[in-house]
Amino acid sequence: MKKSNILIAIILVAVITVGYFLLSNPSRPNSSNSNKPEAPISVMPKGPTGHDLIEQDYKDEAIDYETYLTYRVQYVFGDSSLPDKYFTDEKSFEDDGLFEDLEENYDKLSVKNKEIIEPFLKRPDDPDSFINKLYSEEKEKTAWFIQTAHAAGDRPVAFKGHISTADNLVKVHFPIIVDAEGNETKVNFDVAKEIVKNLDNNGAYDQFKNLLNLEPQPDGPLGGDDKVDIYVVGDIEGKYAKLSKGLTFSGVNIRDRGKNTNFILLRNDLSSDELKTITVHELFHAFQRRFNCKGKKNIWWLEGSATWSEDYIYPQMNSEQEHIINFIPEPEVSLTLKDKKHVYGSYLFPFYLTQKYNDHEVVRKIFYSCDLGMDAIDGVEKAVPDKLKDVWSDFSLWLFNTEPVKYFKDESGFFPDDSSSLGENSDQFTMDFPDPLTIDTADLKPLTSQVIEVYNGLKKGEVKRIDFADLRNFTKNNGGRIKAIIYPKERGEEYIEDWSNREKRSFCLENKKEDILQVNLIVSNPDPKKSIEKTDLVMETHQSCYTINQSDHREASFGLGVSFAESGSSKGSVDVKTWGDMIEEPKKGAKYSYLGKWKIHYDYVEDIGSYAGVGGCTYKHKPSKFSGDLIFDLREAAEETGWGFAAQSENLKFNIPAISVNCGIGGDQSLDLSEGADEVPQQVHGGGKLIELTEDGAKVEFSMSYIFNGSILGKSAKPILVEIKREE
């Protein structure tokens, strides 16, 4: 009986313990976290690598450029002759652009440094390669191996083993160890088999071939045949040997010296998932090398598209998403900058292009543009139907990556929430008072962007309209682009606009859709070469939702008199730009809210043209210009058409250039007609009257105005009506 009780007690304790564990374990299938995606594969270093430390010494002028390149090569392969201070616990993903730097600068190196570097660039099955020598020498005679109890007769023989994919297009090499008795052991054979199995299953070779319409450059006898060669390298563990420092990369693609062929090195201790995606990444590099996309200026595209290829082959694994944190929150970093982390995040650009245009061929088209002598970034316009400035502006909007701009779609169903608004380059402004608010952009390097968040902090009813003005300062004058994400106070009604071709954008707060709570400006520099300096935009308030803003062109004839011109007149044109706002509110109870006091500005250009004058002379006029302000008070007018009001001119300016006169003798002569012209602006207006009044606005006729009337003081043209409109 006691034993039964004890047994029951033990069972109860076990049940309670297991139950507690299941209830408290956050990873159990029915927990709240069960639907969260797994963390992406992580291959990037979390701290400084030897590349970083060597680069810092170069920047500090502690070493010269040749030493900088040589040290980096030694670091990649874990060469213990490199000073110990450059070895850290962190490993690089690849070579951090080293081999592109070497290709560009190899011929400039000294003979001494070439001799040091050369063995590292040879294939592991080459007897003169750095790795082959290490694997082949007797352990007791080299400092590169850690002595073991079995060192007496073990003698590694480098890369005599290999297996190929089912299609016989990729060969994976591995070393074979031969002991003192002649027994062979296949080293890294399981890794080699896994690589082959992965390539057979994913069909990456054929997928890349179909995508790019070509195959990697055949390498002849290198590697034993024309197959793409992958070498599994790294520490040889167990009773054999171990490289003293270890390789510092996960995978790397190296061009054969003096050839257009290449080979791949993969480390032997990668996880199963890492082995899949890194193999694909390096294989895509092998295809890339058939194109003329080379050098630092294209490294962003080479690494970005290779990272994109991981998603292309393994869309469910999300290995590429590790790099998003080094890209989306850093819109101030130029797309084409050679940066060891940013270049991998630039996979988002081909990821965007293939989604935006629903076409994977854009990747191939950009590569083919390199063969036409273009840089990859210039090839974008060859690959898509839009201009680069529009593509970059739209891509910058996508990087906001927050509703209502949640555009990136991943086949896995998951895409991180990183946003360009969360980086150091974002800025915030709040309009707390009706006074104008200056919004300044940051200095923008080529192919960068900035998020500017603008908040409406005004009290309800304090103003009726908010304008974002001087937009052309950034867009037209500097070539920038502006996208706006607009958040009305009424939730769920957000919308997006392109302001790149607007002078200003006005919001009538009486309209629910335009009663803004916040506007996020995505300002971008789409130029791949030029920077945009800090630019001021202006946020203004007004007491009316109505405005005057128009440009008018009229064909005109000008009466000159037969004593001056043979025909008595000249054919020309008139151009008038007019804009302004209501400066004082209407009377209480006014029928329309625009019946207040107004102030408008005009720029008037009059081109009389050329004509035959008396005496056989030809007269050529350069355009005359008038400008000024006009103030008129609609509170004086009745709330119906036909009633007049007074108008007052201010700040009048004029420019009447001299006339060029050619009478056939002595060439062109100048005739100054500006004397007395200052009297013209003084009589350019007179009063005006309302022509139309509706809820949408009104039209105003200035019948005594030289500027707006078509038939006055010898000028004959269709009159210009000044239109009061509700601002949009």
Side-chain angles (χ1 to χ4, degrees):
M1 185 68 178
K2 288 183 178 179
K3 289 183 178 179
S4 298
N5 289 339
I6 292 172
L7 180 59
I8 291 171
I10 291 172
I11 293 172
L12 285 173
V13 170
V15 170
I16 292 170
T17 302
V18 172
Y20 174 77
F21 174 80
L22 290 175
L23 290 171
S24 60
N25 185 358
S27 63
R28 65 192 182 90
N30 293 325
S31 72
S32 60
N33 293 328
S34 62
N35 292 325
K36 288 186 177 180
E38 295 181 6
I41 297 169
S42 180
V43 297
M44 297 301 290
K46 301 300 185 289
T49 67
H51 287 294
D52 299 316
L53 301 180
I54 295 168
E55 183 172 352
Q56 189 58 54
D57 271 2
Y58 173 63
K59 289 180 178 178
D60 294 341
E61 300 183 352
I63 56 176
D64 60 22
Y65 189 67
E66 283 202 32
T67 304
Y68 160 77
L69 288 178
T70 304
Y71 276 5
R72 288 183 64 198
V73 173
Q74 292 175 310
Y75 170 74
V76 165
F77 289 90
D79 183 357
S80 61
S81 63
L82 179 70
D84 286 341
K85 70 175 185 176
Y86 295 123
F87 289 101
T88 71
D89 293 333
E90 300 290 343
K91 295 183 183 296
S92 299
F93 172 35
E94 295 183 286
D95 60 297
D96 284 3
L98 164 65
F99 294 115
E100 290 295 329
D101 289 345
L102 271 179
E103 284 189 38
E104 287 188 351
N105 297 282
Y106 190 83
D107 292 338
K108 302 174 186 177
L109 297 176
S110 66
V111 173
K112 177 182 177 182
N113 282 320
K114 285 181 181 178
E115 290 176 351
I116 295 173
I117 292 173
E118 192 72 27
F120 296 98
L121 305 183
K122 294 180 180 294
R123 296 177 178 231
D125 54 3
D126 187 320
D128 294 324
S129 76
F130 175 79
I131 291 179
N132 191 294
K133 287 182 178 180
L134 295 185
Y135 282 176
S136 299
E137 292 180 2
E138 292 183 88
K139 288 186 231 176
E140 63 268 23
K141 292 184 179 181
T142 177
W144 302 107
F145 292 93
I146 298 175
Q147 191 76 15
T148 74
H150 299 269
D154 294 341
R155 191 179 187 81
V157 178
F159 296 95
K160 298 298 183 182
H162 54 79
I163 53 175
S164 298
T165 54
D167 56 16
N168 217 30
L169 296 172
V170 180
K171 179 189 286 187
V172 183
H173 303 255
F174 54 88
I176 294 178
I177 302 295
V178 182
D179 65 17
E181 286 75 36
N183 299 314
E184 293 186 350
T185 302
K186 296 178 180 180
V187 180
N188 300 331
F189 184 52
D190 288 343
V191 178
K193 287 193 298 182
E194 189 174 355
I195 293 171
V196 168
K197 178 183 176 182
N198 291 339
L199 290 174
D200 285 341
N201 289 339
N202 62 38
Y205 190 101
D206 277 343
Q207 290 200 60
F208 292 157
K209 174 184 174 181
N210 294 333
L211 173 72
L212 300 174
N213 287 346
L214 50 63
E215 298 179 68
Q217 179 72 36
D219 58 11
L222 296 175
D225 48 40
D226 273 344
K227 300 182 184 72
V228 173
D229 295 302
I230 299 175
Y231 298 85
V232 183
V233 295
D235 297 342
I236 302 177
E237 302 286 1
K239 70 177 184 178
Y240 303 111
K242 180 178 179 180
L243 294 174
S244 61
K245 292 294 184 182
L247 302 172
T248 63
F249 59 84
S250 297
V252 71
N253 182 293
I254 302 176
R255 188 188 296 271
D256 293 300
R257 281 294 308 143
K259 304 177 186 298
N260 200 34
T261 57
N262 58 91
F263 60 96
I264 295 168
L265 303 181
L266 293 177
R267 220 174 62 220
N268 61 358
D269 59 350
L270 301 175
S271 71
S272 178
D273 284 348
E274 289 172 349
L275 194 62
K276 287 179 179 178
T277 58
I278 295 173
T279 300
V280 164
H281 185 108
E282 301 306 332
L283 180 61
F284 196 74
H285 280 317
F287 280 82
Q288 289 174 344
R289 291 189 182 277
R290 285 299 302 273
F291 299 100
N292 195 34
C293 283
K294 301 176 182 177
K296 293 181 181 179
K297 58 188 178 182
N298 289 313
I299 192 74
W300 71 275
W301 177 249
L302 297 174
E303 292 301 348
S305 59
T307 305
W308 169 84
S309 76
E310 298 173 32
D311 180 72
Y312 186 67
I313 301 299
Y314 290 114
Q316 301 294 329
M317 293 184 68
N318 294 339
S319 58
E320 74 287 348
Q321 292 185 3
E322 176 189 6
H323 308 291
I324 288 175
I325 189 65
N326 297 314
F327 192 94
I328 287 184
E330 298 180 354
E332 72 277 9
V333 180
S334 177
L335 172 69
T336 57
L337 179 71
K338 183 202 168 197
D339 176 89
K340 57 184 66 67
K341 292 183 178 180
H342 196 74
V343 292
Y344 295 106
S346 65
Y347 95 86
L348 285 165
F349 193 63
F351 189 64
Y352 154 79
L353 291 175
T354 55
Q355 290 192 27
K356 171 73 175 181
Y357 298 98
N358 193 29
D359 183 7
H360 287 102
E361 287 196 3
V362 297
V363 175
R364 174 181 58 82
K365 292 175 182 177
I366 291 176
F367 273 112
Y368 272 85
S369 69
C370 291
D371 287 347
L372 298 176
M374 305 170 69
D375 292 341
I377 190 62
D378 298 323
V380 172
E381 292 187 358
K382 292 284 186 181
V384 300
D386 297 318
K387 297 293 185 182
L388 177 61
K389 61 183 180 180
D390 298 315
V391 172
W392 183 252
S393 177
D394 193 56
F395 178 59
S396 298
L397 177 68
W398 280 47
L399 295 179
F400 186 71
N401 194 38
T402 303
E403 294 294 353
V405 190
K406 199 73 172 170
Y407 292 164
F408 287 110
K409 304 298 180 186
D410 194 274
E411 192 171 322
S412 68
F414 172 74
F415 192 86
D417 291 329
D418 299 277
S419 171
S420 55
S421 66
L422 302 178
E424 296 181 0
N425 205 37
S426 62
D427 208 348
Q428 295 81 35
F429 295 86
T430 301
M431 173 165 268
D432 292 319
F433 304 99
D435 303 323
L437 174 67
T438 298
I439 302 169
D440 55 323
T441 70
D443 293 331
L444 293 179
K445 295 177 181 178
L447 297 175
T448 60
S449 63
Q450 179 191 17
V451 178
I452 301 176
E453 300 174 349
V454 185
Y455 299 91
N456 175 13
L458 296 170
K459 298 176 183 178
K460 184 176 181 180
E462 193 170 0
V463 301
K464 292 184 178 179
R465 192 178 94 225
I466 294 177
D467 289 353
F468 286 81
D470 295 341
L471 301 179
R472 289 292 182 91
N473 287 349
F474 182 77
T475 56
K476 184 177 181 179
N477 298 342
N478 291 317
R481 311 289 286 179
I482 301 176
K483 297 272 191 178
I485 308 169
I486 301 159
Y487 301 82
K489 291 179 179 177
E490 189 168 310
R491 300 289 184 176
E493 298 297 325
E494 300 86 359
Y495 54 102
I496 299 155
E497 294 182 344
D498 190 339
W499 293 359
S500 301
N501 295 314
R502 303 188 71 143
E503 292 185 8
K504 71 175 181 178
R505 171 60 163 100
S506 298
F507 292 90
C508 178
L509 305 186
E510 296 174 344
N511 185 334
K512 284 186 177 181
K513 186 177 180 180
E514 298 198 341
D515 188 9
I516 55 173
L517 174 68
Q518 176 182 345
V519 175
N520 288 347
L521 303 179
I522 314 297
V523 297
S524 59
N525 178 8
D527 195 298
K529 296 179 180 179
K530 298 179 181 178
S531 297
I532 295 180
E533 295 182 352
K534 173 182 174 181
T535 307
D536 288 342
L537 312 177
V538 178
M539 194 173 176
E540 302 171 335
T541 62
H542 300 276
Q543 293 302 324
S544 171
C545 287
Y546 296 87
T547 190
I548 294 171
N549 187 9
Q550 63 191 75
S551 296
D552 298 279
H553 174 82
R554 298 286 189 271
E555 299 297 324
S557 64
F558 300 90
L560 302 174
V562 292
S563 61
F564 201 79
E566 288 182 352
S567 63
S569 66
S570 175
K571 299 292 184 180
S573 63
V574 168
D575 289 277
V576 186
K577 182 171 178 56
T578 314
W579 69 96
D581 289 290
M582 192 171 70
I583 56 176
E584 293 184 21
E585 294 191 44
K587 295 177 181 179
K588 187 175 181 179
K591 184 176 181 180
Y592 301 114
S593 60
Y594 55 78
L595 293 174
K597 189 174 183 179
W598 286 77
K599 180 177 181 179
I600 62 174
H601 181 86
Y602 61 86
D603 285 332
Y604 173 92
V605 179
E606 178 180 280
D607 187 358
I608 295 179
S610 61
Y611 51 88
V614 295
C617 297
T618 300
Y619 294 81
K620 295 181 180 178
H621 288 250
K622 291 184 178 180
S624 300
K625 299 179 181 180
F626 299 99
S627 67
D629 296 327
L630 187 62
I631 300 172
F632 54 93
D633 197 340
L634 297 183
R635 293 176 296 188
E636 300 176 3
E639 295 178 357
E640 55 186 86
T641 60
W643 288 82
F645 53 83
Q648 177 185 352
S649 299
E650 290 184 350
N651 303 317
L652 300 173
K653 296 179 182 178
F654 66 94
N655 179 9
I656 302 179
I659 301 175
S660 173
V661 182
N662 190 325
C663 297
I665 301 174
D668 288 349
Q669 303 294 320
S670 181
L671 179 62
D672 187 359
L673 296 182
S674 61
E675 183 177 354
D678 57 340
E679 298 177 2
V680 176
Q682 304 301 327
Q683 51 182 327
V684 294
H685 291 299
K689 63 180 179 180
L690 291 169
I691 300 301
E692 296 179 12
L693 289 91
T694 68
E695 184 64 37
D696 293 329
K699 294 181 180 179
V700 183
E701 179 187 83
F702 292 98
S703 57
M704 299 301 294
S705 168
Y706 184 79
I707 302 300
F708 298 105
N709 189 8
S711 300
I712 191 171
L713 298 178
K715 180 180 70 174
S716 179
K718 183 180 178 181
I720 295 172
L721 298 179
V722 175
E723 298 186 49
I724 299 173
K725 294 182 178 180
R726 183 181 288 271
E727 183 63 283
E728 297 179 353

